[in-house]
Amino acid sequence: QMARALLAHGLEVTVFETAPKVGGLWRENYHTYGVQVPKQLYEFPDFPFDAVSWGDYPTGGQTQTYIEAYAAHFKLEKHIKFNTTVLAMTERKGQKGYIFDLGEAGSEEFDFAIIATGMYSQVPN
């Protein structure tokens, strides 16, 4: 959702994703579970969660599919570097911005950074 908002404001966006696809905890942990609240609490404001009836509780798999559809609909995948882990982020010397250490994938520099590791990531935030 953040990438979409930044793109809508005309900014260049790069998202680093350790996994091979979007979804976060829905991709790995809750695929066969049911969601504990109605779909409206998981629905993106500008993208209807049509696979599930109003007031119903989607499964983890349906939620994962919905997140993937959101990324595809807004063409976010081309801004995501999948299977890419950020090992470290340091400030540039002598100018504003940051250097991202991507291990074997090298490094990349950016003027701004948004950290969105998620509250359930396995790596200390």
Side-chain angles (χ1 to χ4, degrees):
Q1 213 172 356
M2 177 57 72
R4 175 162 153 39
L6 294 170
L7 289 164
H9 281 58
L11 297 169
E12 292 180 32
V13 174
T14 301
V15 175
F16 297 111
E17 173 56 61
T18 299
K21 62 182 179 177
V22 298
L25 63 92
W26 297 109
R27 178 190 61 248
E28 297 179 9
N29 299 324
Y30 297 108
H31 192 76
T32 58
Y33 291 92
V35 177
Q36 69 275 21
V37 296
K39 72 162 188 164
Q40 290 75 20
L41 296 178
Y42 285 93
E43 191 171 58
F44 296 114
D46 55 354
F47 192 71
F49 198 159
D50 291 334
V52 180
S53 298
W54 193 92
D56 283 351
Y57 298 74
T59 66
Q62 287 171 316
T63 303
Q64 173 63 29
T65 299
Y66 171 69
I67 293 168
E68 290 174 8
Y70 179 88
H73 178 79
F74 292 109
K75 299 176 177 48
L76 299 177
E77 292 103 334
K78 66 183 176 182
H79 301 281
I80 303 172
K81 294 189 177 191
F82 293 104
N83 299 305
T84 305
T85 301
V86 175
L87 301 177
M89 181 184 83
T90 56
E91 288 187 64
R92 288 183 191 152
K93 293 183 179 161
Q95 62 179 337
K96 291 182 179 181
Y98 303 92
I99 302 169
F100 285 73
D101 176 359
L102 307 173
E104 292 181 17
S107 65
E108 292 197 35
E109 296 189 26
F110 299 92
D111 295 331
F112 302 97
I114 295 173
I115 311 302
T117 55
M119 57 191 284
Y120 299 111
S121 74
Q122 298 300 314
V123 179
N125 297 331

